[in-house]
Amino acid sequence: MRTPIIAGNWKMNTSVNEAVELVKRMLQVDRVKGVKKIICPPFVSLVPVKNLIENSSIELGAQNMYFEEKGAMTGEISPIMLNELCRYVILGHSERRQYFAETDEMINKKVKTAIRFNLVPILCVGETLKEKETEKTRDVVSRQVSRGLEGINATDSLVIAYEPIWAIGTGKSASVAEATNTISLIRATIEKMWSREKAETISILYGGSTNKQNITEFVRQDEIDGALVGGASLKADEFVDMVKQTAEIKNKA
Ligand code: PGA
């Protein structure tokens, strides 16, 4: 049984003070059972946020990481710095791929390093609008998954987020059918690399314009284990509501 996940990616938003205020208003999700609640604030807010959630069931993630453990890499953050602070790390987000030229090869190195340092990667994959319109979604996503996981032995320390790029921050989410089909493809791709049994243990989330109005449509699907939430995770009430709705639906099943 996979535990559902609602993960908030705050991206490059919130000052340290704002992050502290936001997380204080989210602490009430502590009481919601049966859903993993993960928040991924900017690096500079990891420590103060960690201090606030320490005695709660909320878990912490980072938004990126470099693939070497230390050295002359000005401005980068290493797995050693992160594994003292958090359990999860988002890797290969489409904004990193698009604006910071991250390749599947780099992302694969990051995934390997994260696992080596006991961090759980949240590996993001997804197609552009052009790729969707030219019916390349299946090729693109299965390639991103197999290259992202190349050379990695079967592990259950992994989360995958399917985030179609055209759905991120646009207010236009994928349809439930699109999300479900692609997530099934991702699981089948992992099954081919590892085994059916192992593929069944991996949580696969949908991300892209999820909010409190549409979250139930997605989490009602057995294949969809939760959501990676951007914009809506910056509003405490909305995030809390999404966690509660997910718990209600998944715990009923
Ligand atoms: P969004 O972002 O929910 O604002 O579309 C999702 C993400 O990029 O993880």
Side-chain angles (χ1 to χ4, degrees):
M1 259 302 271
R2 302 182 294 264
T3 308
I5 296 175
I6 296 291
N9 173 13
W10 294 0
K11 308 193 179 183
M12 196 176 70
N13 294 294
T14 68
S15 67
V16 175
N17 286 338
E18 286 165 349
V20 163
E21 288 313 310
L22 184 56
V23 79
K24 277 186 191 160
R25 287 188 282 121
M26 287 179 174
L27 283 174
Q28 50 173 308
V29 288
D30 181 35
R31 289 193 299 269
V32 185
K33 302 265 183 298
V35 177
K36 288 187 187 168
K37 293 99 31 180
I38 304 170
I39 48 181
C40 306
F43 288 129
V44 292
S45 294
L46 285 172
V47 171
V49 169
K50 175 182 159 58
N51 292 338
L52 279 166
I53 61 175
E54 209 137 48
N55 298 315
S56 81
S57 58
I58 303 171
E59 296 181 281
L60 199 55
Q63 298 175 17
N64 183 29
M65 184 201 80
Y66 195 62
F67 52 76
E68 278 174 19
E69 48 194 276
K70 63 178 174 186
M73 292 291 164
T74 302
E76 289 296 316
I77 296 288
S78 88
I80 292 178
M81 301 168 193
L82 291 182
N83 78 357
E84 276 183 15
L85 302 177
C86 57
R87 177 160 167 70
Y88 296 88
V89 58
I90 297 173
L91 295 176
H93 191 282
S94 60
E95 287 148 17
R96 302 289 322 167
R97 295 179 191 255
Q98 224 179 335
Y99 308 136
F100 301 96
E102 289 197 9
T103 60
D104 284 327
E105 197 190 349
M106 278 166 77
I107 294 161
N108 175 248
K109 286 188 191 170
K110 291 184 177 199
V111 173
K112 284 180 176 157
T113 308
I115 293 172
R116 189 152 60 88
F117 284 89
N118 293 321
L119 290 155
V120 179
I122 302 177
L123 171 63
C124 301
V125 297
E127 80 286 3
T128 62
L129 183 60
K130 189 157 173 238
E131 288 161 345
K132 171 183 151 71
E133 285 171 350
T134 50
E135 294 179 11
K136 297 211 173 80
T137 300
R138 297 179 71 82
D139 287 351
V140 169
V141 171
S142 56
R143 191 186 63 226
Q144 288 173 339
V145 171
S146 48
R147 292 209 179 145
L149 298 180
E150 206 170 296
I152 294 173
N153 292 331
T155 174
D156 40 25
S157 260
L158 172 72
V159 175
I160 298 202
Y162 168 53
E163 300 204 303
I165 297 173
W166 47 271
I168 296 178
T170 57
K172 188 182 178 303
S173 60
S175 70
V176 172
E178 284 168 329
T180 309
N181 287 339
T182 312
I183 285 177
S184 301
L185 167 77
I186 293 172
R187 202 173 299 287
T189 308
I190 300 174
E191 182 180 331
K192 246 186 257 162
M193 300 181 74
W194 297 347
S195 67
R196 186 181 176 90
E197 206 187 13
K198 284 292 173 187
E200 287 298 324
T201 66
I202 304 301
S203 295
I204 309 181
L205 315 180
Y206 167 71
S209 295
T210 53
N211 53 45
K212 66 179 178 187
Q213 270 84 37
N214 63 17
I215 188 67
T216 54
E217 293 169 33
F218 293 105
V219 295
R220 214 170 262 138
Q221 310 303 313
D222 287 343
E223 289 85 351
I224 305 182
D225 298 313
L228 179 56
V229 188
S233 74
L234 290 166
K235 297 177 207 141
D237 294 349
E238 180 126 10
F239 185 75
V240 170
D241 200 53
M242 291 172 82
V243 170
K244 285 183 180 161
Q245 292 191 55
T246 302
E248 205 167 298
I249 288 187
K250 292 290 193 191
N251 295 345
K252 226 189 269 167

